[in-house]
Amino acid sequence: MKVLGLLLFGLLGLCSAQDKRVLVLLENMAVKETHSIYFSMLQRNGFALTYKVADDPTIVIKKYDEFIYENIIVFAPTVEEFGGALSAETMMEFVDRGGNLLVTAGSVTGDVLREIASESGFEVDEDNTYVIDHHNFDAAKDSGYHIRVVASPENLVKSDIIVGTAGKLPLLYQGTGLLTDPSNPLVIDILTGATTAYTHNPQQPIKEYPHTVGKSTVMIAGLQARNNARIVFSGSLEFFSDEFFQAEIQTGNGKPVPSGNFELAEALSLWCFKERGVLRVDGIQHSKLGEGSAPEFYTIREMVQFYIDVKEKVNGEWVPYQAKDMQVEFVRIDPFVRANMQVSKGGLIGAKFKIPDVYGVYQFKINYHRLGLTRIATSTQVSVRPLRHNQYERFIPSAYPYYASAFSMMFGVFVFSFVFLYHSDETKKKTE
């Protein structure tokens, strides 16, 4: 039994490790040293990293039509083509199959990364352009072009699930800008520039309107696909570097303060690689009110109870999700009922409602989509039948006037018959 227990423990550990396999594609192996703090953080969080140069011809991410990694990091802004059988199309297939992607661009961005960005709903600015902000820059180490931009934590997306506790310290950024599609509901502007920021080549005069200006200058963008795969796209490789993690930022004549790059990089990576903000459905229950099992069918106007068991991944463990804004819909073609759900004592989220007075084939539907969380979309089909002949009410209150008229007619006929017969007998007696 002890050997069996150790074997099961080993298998569970192996499965856990396989869920955290990361392929890291680098510009060159020197990036592994300049970004060592970031990679060490990933390893502390249990990720198994495999390093490759981005144009290495031996790169393989798929065997027997199955991807051998769950996550891919691309720290190679200038790469024009990936090595091996890897391409932009393969990357997007990887995302379509549920894989997660973290990519960094730069002032010079290769065509393959531009294609990935375009497929993801982002657009990278032209080569040799930087995000420039003449009002918010690191006064101590800026080169004079004001491209070492200091981003305010107020410009982060308002989601603690995505950015964690990074909303307290300023952020150091040096790279190009991104433009996102505002009509794409899946795209998230994670970090944007201030109203004074814009993207341009700092060594050339501005003769045309910049590609991005103000809040439309996106520094880090994200996407959560409909299959819950996640992409984080940064316009700066330096943002994840040891230098920027350990930097002291000085704006104007103020006192130097540490950067919040490390906290944000860790939160973004854990979110991107589905260690945070992940929901799963462990079970669905529905029955008549007061009963414990689902019936073969429901009847109109019955009270029904519906429960869903939702778990959230917190620090590697699955705990009951405490949702206060989840709704269930009872749908035939359109929703007939939409009910707010409450958390019960057992951790289940449920609602009770009355089945409408219309029979047919219905579905219990939940479509729960919140910023930073994986989408929950479930449907459970049930049939609703009309009342049987012996289930109808014998005396309907609204029909009491008709009952009264019927009995009054019967009473009138009885009185008329009595009077008619009595009057006929008296006439015969007088005649005789």
Side-chain angles (χ1 to χ4, degrees), residues 39 65 107 141 154 158 185 188 266 289 324 338 340 353 377 385 410:
F39 294 131
D65 200 36
S107 59
K141 295 186 178 180
E154 296 179 358
K158 300 301 185 285
I188 306 169
E266 182 176 19
L289 187 62
K324 298 180 180 179
R338 183 179 289 116
N340 294 323
F353 58 89
R385 297 186 180 182
M410 294 170 59

Side-chain angles (χ1 to χ4, degrees), residues 106-385:
S107 59
V108 177
T109 305
D111 291 339
V112 65
L113 297 191
R114 291 182 180 275
E115 186 175 351
I116 292 174
S118 177
E119 292 290 335
S120 305
F122 321 128
E123 184 180 349
V124 184
D125 207 346
E126 299 176 355
D127 284 345
N128 300 315
T129 60
Y130 288 85
V131 176
I132 303 173
D133 194 333
H134 300 299
H135 293 263
N136 303 283
F137 59 92
D138 186 5
K141 295 186 178 180
D142 189 79
S143 60
Y145 292 110
H146 300 168
I147 59 176
R148 195 176 169 104
V149 175
V150 177
S152 170
E154 296 179 358
N155 295 331
L156 287 168
V157 63
K158 300 301 185 285
S159 173
D160 292 340
I161 298 173
I162 299 176
V163 302
T165 59
K168 299 179 181 179
L169 297 173
L171 304 165
L172 198 57
Y173 185 92
Q174 181 174 323
T176 190
L178 309 174
L179 187 65
T180 58
D181 183 3
S183 63
N184 189 339
L186 305 178
V187 172
I188 306 169
D189 295 345
I190 296 175
L191 177 63
T192 60
T195 54
T196 53
Y198 64 94
T199 55
H200 198 267
N201 188 332
Q203 298 180 349
Q204 293 182 357
I206 300 177
K207 297 182 178 180
E208 297 180 354
Y209 197 77
H211 194 193
T212 64
V213 176
K215 294 290 186 179
S216 65
T217 304
V218 180
M219 302 177 182
I220 302 177
L223 176 137
Q224 180 165 282
R226 299 189 189 280
N227 65 348
N228 291 324
R230 291 171 175 173
I231 298 176
V232 170
F233 204 103
S234 170
S236 170
L237 174 61
E238 289 80 6
F239 185 90
F240 298 87
S241 67
D242 296 354
E243 179 189 354
F244 278 36
F245 282 174
Q246 300 171 334
E248 295 284 333
I249 301 174
Q250 182 176 355
T251 57
N253 296 323
K255 183 180 179 180
V257 295
S259 75
N261 287 39
F262 177 79
E263 289 77 9
L264 180 58
E266 182 176 19
L268 283 180
S269 301
L270 294 179
W271 178 81
C272 180
F273 300 152
K274 293 180 184 171
E275 290 298 304
R276 300 179 61 169
V278 180
L279 303 179
R280 76 179 186 190
V281 178
D282 279 356
I284 291 176
Q285 306 171 16
H286 61 90
S287 63
K288 297 178 185 178
L289 187 62
E291 297 184 4
S293 59
E296 183 180 353
F297 59 87
Y298 291 99
T299 305
I300 59 173
R301 300 200 298 269
E302 285 183 332
M303 289 297 296
V304 63
Q305 55 190 11
F306 177 86
Y307 292 99
I308 183 170
D309 186 9
V310 181
K311 295 290 195 302
E312 181 183 10
K313 194 174 187 179
V314 178
N315 298 326
E317 297 182 358
W318 293 98
V319 299
Y321 179 58
Q322 303 295 316
K324 298 180 180 179
D325 56 351
M326 190 177 293
Q327 293 182 327
V328 59
E329 294 181 336
F330 199 55
V331 180
R332 194 174 66 169
I333 296 176
D334 295 321
F336 276 66
V337 176
R338 183 179 289 116
N340 294 323
M341 305 178 71
Q342 304 294 330
V343 179
S344 65
K345 294 181 179 180
L348 301 179
I349 307 172
K352 302 172 184 178
F353 58 89
K354 189 176 183 179
I355 293 178
D357 194 6
V358 181
Y359 60 87
V361 177
Y362 287 80
Q363 287 182 332
F364 294 102
K365 275 193 174 183
I366 291 180
N367 189 4
Y368 187 73
H369 188 198
R370 296 295 182 271
L371 180 63
L373 295 173
T374 52
R375 182 193 301 267
I376 293 179
T378 67
S379 61
T380 305
Q381 183 171 297
V382 295
S383 60
V384 176
R385 297 186 180 182

